[in-house]
Amino acid sequence: MTQMIYPTTDPAFTEQLVIERGEGVYVYDDTGKQYLEGLSGLWCTSLGYGNEELVETAAAQMRKLTYSHLFGGKTHPAAMQLADELAAMVPMADARVFLGSSGSDANDTLVKLLRYYFSAIGQPGRYKIIARDRAYHGVTVAAASLTGLPANHAHFGLPAEALGVLRTGSAHFYRDGLPGESEEAFSRRRADELEALIQAQGADSIAAFIAEPVSGAGGVIVPPAGYYNEIRAVLDRHGILFWDDEVICGFGRLGSDFGATALDLQPSMMALAKGLSSAYMPISAALIDGQMYEPVAQLGAEMGVFGHGYTYSGHPVACAVASKVLEIYRRDDIFAHAAAMGRYLQDSLQPLCEHPLVGEVRGMGMIAALELVACKETRRPFAGNSVGAFCQRACQDAGLIVRALGGNSIALCPPLIITRPQVDELVDKLAAGLDQTLAHVKRENLLSD
Ligand SMILES: Cc1ncc(COP(=O)(O)O)c(C=O)c1O
């Protein structure tokens, strides 16, 4: 045991697996055992492991300029290049880019930019943010307040109320749909609930609605038919901004550049991280459109400073690596490859619907989940998280890394560079893990009669 406080870990079960090295879509533990990395680390290693071009880029930038900051008029070419590339890529008019180091800090930055913006246009009372159940937006104090998962809230005493965080239902049709309800009717119900919440709070107090295009850590929740059209109509009616958390969906994960493109969202704000550097360096970006930026810049100029910034905002090594990652995405047509492999992955997973433990197979592009249930007919979930945890372990024994999420969903999010035979390998190993889990569940008598 080391002295580490491990993140997002049961302190009674630390140091279960020591990963020592990685290559392509595989990682290896300290005994030399190979695993297909079916979750891309934490949904982030899109270009896989050990990419020499990226290693060289980092080394070259370290030699040239190890560090420089962006405060008080200083800048450097690596950060300027990346900001302009991102602004040109995103589906927002005249986008402006604030650089950070993590998805959480990008969302915290956007909380502050949102408040700064409404203050600048003379509406400081418009600060509340609507976030969804089962959302994941990070774990810093403001981002955790936006997150809608119990474990990230309990005992932390988060100032969600002071921050004006309002909660609305998730897009989880399989779990939250009513018996006999169609996807369209469910989407309409969610929009009606949103409308009611806005009416109750007063639209002029609400600044933005935050959503992951497809939710990741909440269980890989793919919005049902009509969902975003219905939600969008309500937000537009009340002038509420759409805040698009693309930390997982951005950069090819859904088979196109951004989730916003795949699902036809029209964001005013975006959070980017993970795939931005394929996790070769920690880096994030918080973006706002030009219409939001103008008053922010004006107020900042009046104040003499826009008083927000991190030591590592625009770290040159992270920026150089991210720019190289974007170049590789373009040059190697990675998003088109992800779209093709995504279709193959989703088709290959579908037969697992027949497995006695699998209630639903859901996904889009290169992200998917299998929801394990005690009874397929009634969708009765297993109590606690132990069945999902067993399945994660069984897959690991079979040489596949997956992640069990709350509610016993098994999440998949392989590197975008995966090939067809490797998708076959992933599905075979997953099926082996499921069979082991079924044997366990029968032994323990956990299934419905
Ligand atoms: C959608 C989303 N937003 C924000 C975050 C937080 O990112 P980070 O862990 O880099 O702070 C995550 C992390 O998984 C995420 O999935």
Side-chain angles (χ1 to χ4, degrees):
M1 291 281 277
T2 68
Q3 296 301 101
M4 186 98 73
I5 298 175
Y6 281 96
T8 310
T9 297
D10 177 344
F13 291 96
T14 63
E15 300 177 8
Q16 301 284 300
L17 178 64
V18 181
I19 298 290
E20 232 173 39
R21 68 185 184 91
E23 197 180 334
V25 299
Y26 297 102
V27 293
Y28 300 81
D29 70 16
D30 55 352
T31 70
K33 179 173 167 160
Q34 184 193 61
Y35 304 86
L36 202 165
E37 212 344 324
L39 205 91
S40 299
L42 287 174
W43 332 82
C44 53
T45 56
S46 303
L47 292 176
Y49 298 79
N51 183 310
E52 280 300 327
E53 250 186 296
L54 296 172
V55 173
E56 283 309 316
T57 300
Q61 182 62 49
M62 274 190 193
R63 279 188 203 103
K64 190 169 170 187
L65 179 66
T66 314
Y67 174 77
S68 190
H69 65 79
L70 305 179
F71 283 28
K74 284 203 182 63
T75 189
H76 58 79
M80 288 191 288
Q81 182 186 330
L82 179 65
D84 288 352
E85 280 174 348
L86 285 176
M89 246 185 118
V90 294
M92 291 200 312
D94 190 22
R96 304 303 175 111
V97 183
F98 182 95
L99 295 168
S101 309
S102 73
S104 299
D105 76 40
N107 280 326
D108 270 43
T109 291
L110 288 172
V111 170
K112 293 177 76 177
L113 276 168
L114 195 62
R115 287 169 167 243
Y116 209 82
Y117 165 69
F118 278 107
S119 185
I121 63 168
Q123 299 179 36
R126 192 161 194 157
Y127 67 95
K128 294 179 189 166
I129 303 163
I130 301 176
R132 301 181 298 174
D133 289 330
R134 299 192 169 94
Y136 190 82
H137 300 298
V139 293
T140 44
V141 171
S145 301
L146 296 169
T147 288
L149 298 173
N152 300 117
H153 280 237
H155 306 294
F156 288 113
L158 295 172
E161 206 179 314
L163 285 168
V165 177
L166 306 173
R167 196 61 63 189
T168 196
S170 80
H172 203 336
F173 177 66
Y174 178 77
R175 265 291 142 234
D176 298 343
L178 301 173
E181 193 176 37
S182 68
E183 289 194 18
E184 288 81 0
F186 171 78
S187 297
R188 218 166 307 123
R189 179 159 62 84
R190 283 293 188 240
D192 291 345
E193 290 163 3
L194 182 63
E195 176 70 42
L197 176 67
I198 294 167
Q199 297 286 352
Q201 293 285 329
D204 58 358
S205 72
I206 302 172
F209 171 90
I210 181 171
E212 306 153 75
V214 169
S215 307
V220 183
I221 303 164
V222 181
Y227 176 78
Y228 277 117
N229 282 346
E230 295 279 357
I231 296 293
R232 185 83 235 174
V234 175
L235 299 178
D236 286 351
R237 198 156 50 238
H238 297 290
I240 295 170
L241 303 175
F242 191 95
W243 171 351
D244 177 14
D245 184 341
E246 295 264 0
V247 167
I248 288 181
C249 296
F251 306 104
R253 184 51 60 190
L254 302 186
S256 61
D257 50 2
F258 296 103
T261 320
L263 293 167
D264 193 23
L265 312 174
Q266 286 120 46
S268 300
M269 310 155 70
M270 289 174 87
L272 306 173
K274 298 193 190 274
L276 167 56
S277 67
S278 186
Y280 276 75
M281 291 297 292
I283 184 166
S284 66
L287 291 92
I288 55 174
D289 65 18
Q291 175 262 329
M292 282 184 78
Y293 176 70
E294 289 311 324
V296 165
Q298 234 171 45
L299 180 57
E302 275 167 36
M303 301 290 299
V305 64
F306 170 64
H308 176 73
Y310 305 112
T311 301
Y312 297 134
S313 283
H315 191 287
V317 182
C319 289
V321 168
S323 282
K324 180 56 84 174
V325 165
L326 298 185
E327 184 190 322
I328 294 173
Y329 287 156
R330 278 191 303 272
R331 187 195 66 201
D332 298 350
D333 221 352
I334 295 291
F335 302 161
H337 176 77
M341 284 305 107
R343 280 190 293 276
Y344 186 61
L345 174 69
Q346 303 297 339
D347 287 350
S348 305
L349 290 173
Q350 269 315 308
L352 294 177
C353 273
E354 303 305 318
H355 194 278
L357 283 182
V358 177
E360 184 181 51
V361 175
R362 53 178 178 262
M364 183 173 179
M366 290 284 267
I367 186 167
L370 274 55
E371 185 153 339
L372 309 185
V373 290
C375 175
K376 287 169 76 109
E377 251 157 64
T378 61
R379 304 184 179 182
R380 185 168 72 80
F382 288 109
N385 296 330
S386 68
V387 173
F390 185 96
C391 188
Q392 175 177 315
R393 185 68 202 221
C395 289
Q396 193 173 300
D397 290 346
L400 171 67
I401 293 190
V402 296
R403 183 149 173 237
L405 302 169
N408 296 305
S409 288
I410 302 300
L412 299 161
C413 183
L416 303 182
I417 57 164
I418 198 168
T419 61
R420 279 172 82 100
Q422 288 166 341
V423 170
D424 295 340
E425 181 188 337
L426 182 155
V427 175
D428 287 349
K429 289 179 168 169
L430 180 61
L434 283 172
D435 288 344
Q436 287 299 316
T437 309
L438 182 59
H440 162 77
V441 156
K442 283 182 172 163
R443 257 192 324 270
E444 302 292 319
N445 211 15
L446 300 172
L447 277 176
S448 293
D449 301 328

